[in-house]
Amino acid sequence: MTHDMAAQYHHRNLRAELVRVSLDLIAENGIKGFSVAEAARRAKVSTAAPYRHFPDRAALLAAVGTVAARQLRELAEEAAAAETDEGAALAAVAAAHTRYLIDTRIGLHVFFASELADVQYVELHDARRELVDASLLRCLAIAPDPAIALELMEQLHTQAYGYGDFYLNGVYQWLGYPTEQVVAKSRRAARIVIEAYRASNPAISPAEW
């Protein structure tokens, strides 16, 4: 890359551009189709250029995961804010996870990827913890026992990602279900589970629901 080109991409903030094109790349091909070389090609730089900002594939993926975790938390909070009670808000959060997975192919499986477990990825770990903690706090409003709240959150995440995976793997597309219908199914399934947990928790009165 010439000095002029390097200056151009420094001005454009190559680091942010690489994260942006990587998000697009993963949305199209999934995490297995992600590579630094392809991200560089899409950013219109040499294959060596990304390594000025990211030492390896995992470092770039960690930056992508950080942005994605923050995006998902924002979307989840917006969805929850539109509801009037904790049960509906928590179901909306679950549906937001489903929608984000369908749209981006990124979710907890990326945030918790084994290659990103290194303590050096502080920003990712912080963003991931903030995302999960926000969900757990909402679960505690339904099930005040921390162990039960954690179980509820795990079940909701399992369902939310199951719906997204069925869509991405072609099952729901084969059945003719559009994205909106899949997200709605995810929300309804979450509400059923939430109501079951609430029913088994006498500490929460119907008026509080």
Side-chain angles (χ1 to χ4, degrees), residues 11-161:
H11 177 71
R12 286 176 52 194
N13 190 349
L14 179 56
R15 180 184 177 87
E17 178 69 1
L18 287 166
V19 171
R20 186 189 69 79
V21 299
S22 294
L23 283 165
D24 291 343
L25 180 60
I26 293 171
E28 293 172 18
N29 303 317
I31 196 68
K32 292 182 179 179
F34 165 71
S35 72
V36 177
E38 179 59 18
R41 188 189 69 78
R42 293 193 176 205
K44 297 181 172 60
V45 297
S46 71
T47 54
Y51 295 102
R52 298 191 180 99
H53 299 275
F54 304 101
D56 52 29
R57 179 184 184 276
L60 176 52
L61 184 57
V64 171
T66 300
V67 170
R70 289 170 178 164
Q71 288 179 346
L72 177 52
R73 183 184 176 191
E74 183 177 344
L75 290 172
E77 290 304 307
E78 287 177 358
E83 302 299 336
T84 58
D85 64 62
E86 288 295 339
L90 184 53
V93 168
H97 278 258
T98 300
R99 179 182 295 280
Y100 193 78
L101 178 63
I102 290 173
D103 289 345
T104 68
R105 296 180 183 265
I106 295 176
L108 296 180
H109 67 295
V110 174
F111 308 146
F112 286 93
S114 59
E115 63 185 301
L116 303 181
D118 196 293
V119 294
Q120 67 178 302
Y121 304 127
V122 177
E123 284 190 296
L124 171 62
H125 300 328
D126 286 347
R128 182 184 68 190
R129 183 177 62 253
E130 290 167 1
L131 173 68
V132 173
D133 284 354
S135 291
L136 184 56
L137 282 172
R138 292 193 180 279
C139 289
L140 283 165
I142 304 301
D145 183 316
I148 301 301
L150 180 60
E151 181 183 75
L152 170 58
M153 184 178 69
E154 290 173 348
Q155 184 164 350
L156 291 175
H157 281 158
T158 299
Q159 288 185 179
Y161 284 94

Side-chain angles (χ1 to χ4, degrees), residues 102 105 162-178 182:
I102 290 173
R105 296 180 183 265
Y163 277 99
D165 282 338
F166 265 40
Y167 181 87
L168 293 173
N169 291 335
V171 176
Y172 283 149
Q173 295 183 66
W174 182 80
L175 291 171
Y177 296 166
V182 176

